[in-house]
């Protein structure tokens, strides 16, 4: 049982470790040394006079997922400014690429009581929207004290995470109860979140289905395909630390004389490590940043940001990373929206419902381990008919699940009405 005062004390005691962590991460991403004051609630921007809606998206995935919601907020409340907060430099850069100057951007401060109060005093949001599962007890308490309604949108909570949250009832039940409302992705998410004290909770679906792949990225993927020609292409998307070794071992059992593996690590700070691994294993490989693969390239390292839709459009078949090891998996929705057949490993608890629905719809197949992955990739790359069926199923699946953004916007309007949003 941790009361909020003890939670706040732990944040204060952890301050030196937080500083060291930022310094450590800045070795590979110097951007972590920028805007440091914002992480502690100190902002250089001139205070905004216009009414403001605040949206928090922790990193790249949430920032992209928020796009249909933010576009809807801009259209529905044209007199309001939108503040987009995040926690990572890559998320901030993604926000700049997606929204340009149409939204303000800042880091959300760490959950110190004073920092959260300074954040709210500086930006004075009329209401807030937290994407997915960002629950910060001090931040939510400060919002309640300033009468700022906060909605949890596109909310998901795995059974594993729910059990973890349930171990801190004194701290987290109050935080969940502080929310003005929750728009959950699935009925299971809604049930678990409500059990932790949130009310009201409604099922709206997954906003990521409403994200339309950028036409220029799809066209880029088509151009790549013209260069690659008829070579079979397998994409390993959003891979995590430890998976690349397994995937490359699987690829050795699959590879034919002309097949191409496109390997895209999830985190850009790992590009150099994966490049070193490819050198150590003696692959004929090339970086995306160095140009397109030639006939002798067996592995193309996707060391670019913001081009995942192009990679999906290029590929005959994609494996979704984070699922071969017990990391919970990444989302397969963007792959489906790009009409790309999908494989997933055994560990998909972070996106369980979307994954199970995709498997049931014939969009995806689950494999038990790297050996089974190799066999399935080999089988499907040799079966154009099966891939074509999965490709059609992917497009139908993506279309069938759209509409969550509009449902979420309607609930935000209802729940935030008392603040004049």
């Amino acid at each position: 049982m941790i009361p909020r005062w003890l939670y706040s004390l732990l944040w204060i005691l952890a301050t030196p470790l937080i500083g060291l962590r930022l310094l450590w991460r800045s070795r590979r991403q110097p951007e972590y040394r920028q805007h440091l004051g914002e992480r502690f609630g100190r902002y250089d921007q001139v205070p905004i006079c216009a009414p403001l809606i605040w949206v928090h998206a922790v990193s790249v995935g949430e920032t992209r997922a928020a796009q249909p919601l933010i576009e809807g907020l801009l259209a529905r409340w044209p007199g309001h400014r939108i503040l987009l907060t995040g926690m990572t430099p890559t998320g901030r850069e993604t926000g700049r690429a997606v929204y340009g100057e149409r939204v303000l951007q800042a880091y959300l401060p760490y959950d110190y009581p004073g920092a959260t109060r300074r954040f709210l005093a500086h930006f004075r949001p009329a209401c807030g929207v937290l994407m997915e599962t960002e629950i910060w007890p001090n931040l939510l308490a400060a919002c309640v004290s300033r009468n700022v309604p906060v909605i949890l949108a596109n909310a998901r909570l795995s059974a594993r995470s729910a059990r973890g949250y349930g171990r801190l009832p004194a701290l987290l039940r109050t935080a969940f109860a502080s929310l003005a409302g929750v728009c959950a992705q699935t009925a299971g998410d809604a049930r678990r979140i409500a059990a932790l004290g949130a009310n009201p909770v409604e099922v709206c679906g997954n906003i990521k289905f409403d994200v339309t792949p950028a036409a220029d990225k799809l066209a880029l993927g088509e151009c790549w395909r013209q260069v690659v020609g008829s070579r079979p292409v397998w994409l390993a998307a959003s891979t995590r630390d430890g998976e690349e070794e397994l995937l490359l071992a699987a690829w050795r059992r699959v590879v034919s004389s002309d097949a191409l593996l496109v390997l895209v690590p999830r985190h850009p700070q790992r590009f150099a490590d994966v490049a070193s691994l490819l050198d150590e294993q003696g692959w004929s490989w090339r970086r995306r940043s160095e140009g397109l693969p030639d006939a002798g390239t067996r592995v193309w390292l996707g060391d670019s940001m913001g081009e995942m839709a192009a990679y999906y459009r290029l590929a005959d078949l994609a494996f979704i990373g984070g699922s071969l090891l017990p990391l919970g998996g990444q989302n397969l929705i963007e792959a489906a929206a790009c009409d790309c057949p999908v494989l997933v490993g055994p560990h998909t608890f972070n996106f369980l419902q979307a994954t199970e629905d995709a498997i049931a719809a014939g969009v995806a197949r689950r494999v038990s381990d790297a050996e089974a992955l190799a066999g399935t990739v080999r089988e499907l790359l040799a079966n154009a008919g099966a891939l074509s069926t999965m490709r059609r199923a992917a497009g139908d699946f993506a279309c069938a699940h759209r509409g969550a953004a509009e449902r979420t916007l309607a609930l935000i309007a209802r729940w935030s009405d008392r603040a004049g949003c």
Side-chain angles (χ1 to χ4, degrees):
M1 301 286 284
I2 299 181
R4 193 158 58 85
W5 68 265
L6 180 55
Y7 167 81
S8 301
L9 177 61
L10 291 174
W11 269 105
I12 294 169
L13 295 174
T15 300
L17 296 177
I18 292 170
L20 288 172
R21 181 175 181 272
L22 290 171
L23 182 62
W24 177 260
R25 300 196 74 170
S26 72
R27 295 183 318 120
R28 293 186 176 180
Q29 284 186 277
E31 295 85 0
Y32 270 100
R33 293 195 292 269
Q34 298 173 2
H35 311 291
L36 284 175
E38 295 180 3
R39 297 185 181 277
F40 299 91
R42 304 192 183 280
Y43 299 90
D44 296 330
Q45 300 102 319
V46 175
I48 306 302
C49 295
L52 183 142
I53 300 172
W54 153 51
V55 178
H56 178 63
V58 63
S59 191
V60 174
E62 294 82 5
T63 300
R64 291 194 178 281
Q67 184 175 3
L69 184 61
I70 289 177
E71 297 291 354
L73 292 171
L74 288 166
R76 188 169 295 207
W77 288 282
H80 287 60
R81 296 300 307 271
I82 303 295
L83 169 67
L84 176 63
T85 60
M87 299 299 290
T88 68
T90 49
R92 192 164 182 146
E93 179 57 34
T94 298
R96 188 177 299 111
V98 173
Y99 308 109
E101 300 300 319
R102 294 185 300 152
V103 305
L104 305 169
Q105 284 202 95
Y107 286 129
L108 187 70
Y110 295 120
D111 206 29
Y112 300 94
T116 58
R117 288 194 297 267
R118 288 191 295 271
F119 166 76
L120 294 172
H122 182 87
F123 289 108
R124 293 173 295 172
C127 59
V129 181
L130 307 179
M131 292 296 294
E132 301 204 358
T133 313
E134 285 291 295
I135 301 297
W136 298 102
N138 283 329
L139 175 64
L140 290 170
C143 288
V144 169
S145 69
R146 294 182 68 94
N147 198 33
V148 177
V150 177
I151 291 92
L152 191 63
N154 212 40
R156 61 184 176 92
L157 189 67
S158 68
R160 176 183 295 189
S161 295
R163 288 192 295 272
Y165 284 167
R167 298 187 186 102
L168 301 171
L171 181 66
L172 291 173
R173 284 195 70 84
T174 300
F176 276 98
S178 299
L179 295 164
V182 176
C183 302
Q185 292 185 17
T186 70
D189 294 316
R191 184 172 59 254
R192 289 185 286 270
I193 292 169
L196 290 169
N199 183 49
V201 180
E202 297 202 20
V203 179
C204 293
N206 193 328
I207 290 174
K208 290 183 179 180
F209 281 106
D210 294 317
V211 178
T212 302
D216 62 326
K217 303 305 180 189
L218 295 177
L220 178 61
E222 296 285 357
C223 290
W224 291 348
R225 172 48 81 176
Q226 291 178 16
V227 172
V228 171
S230 61
R231 298 176 65 184
V233 179
W234 179 38
L235 167 65
S238 298
T239 59
R240 303 281 293 276
D241 190 14
E243 287 189 315
E244 289 86 8
E245 292 91 337
L246 298 173
L247 292 165
L248 289 170
W251 189 233
R252 287 197 187 278
R253 296 196 289 273
V254 171
V255 69
S256 63
S257 60
D258 63 342
L260 175 67
L261 168 63
V262 182
L263 183 58
V264 185
R266 176 165 177 77
H267 299 115
Q269 60 268 30
R270 297 191 55 248
F271 291 160
D273 290 342
V274 178
S276 296
L277 177 65
L278 291 169
D279 278 334
E280 290 169 9
Q281 294 195 3
W283 288 96
S284 173
W285 68 280
R286 193 173 193 183
R287 291 176 180 267
R288 157 72 180 109
S289 58
E290 295 173 346
L292 297 178
D294 58 28
T297 304
R298 292 293 170 261
V299 181
W300 195 33
L301 176 60
D303 62 343
S304 62
M305 295 293 293
E307 294 186 333
M308 190 56 74
Y311 291 122
Y312 282 128
R313 181 50 60 96
L314 165 66
D316 294 299
L317 177 67
F319 167 77
I320 305 299
S323 63
L324 207 52
L325 296 176
L327 301 169
Q330 304 302 141
N331 208 320
L332 51 70
I333 291 173
E334 186 176 11
C338 297
D339 300 334
C340 185
V342 167
L343 299 177
V344 296
H347 307 288
T348 57
F349 53 82
N350 284 338
F351 302 96
L352 185 59
Q353 190 64 58
T355 303
E356 294 295 336
D357 289 345
I359 292 170
V363 177
R365 292 191 189 181
R366 189 186 297 279
V367 297
S368 58
D369 54 28
E371 183 176 353
L373 177 63
T376 305
V377 171
R378 187 167 52 244
E379 170 201 338
L380 288 174
L381 289 183
N383 190 336
L387 287 176
S388 180
T389 299
M390 292 178 74
R391 193 171 294 114
R392 288 193 299 270
D396 293 342
F397 175 72
C399 289
H401 286 81
R402 289 177 184 151
E406 273 303 314
R407 291 187 288 272
T408 301
L409 284 165
L411 290 173
I412 290 172
R414 184 200 312 169
W415 290 335
S416 62
D417 184 62
R418 61 190 174 95
C421 256

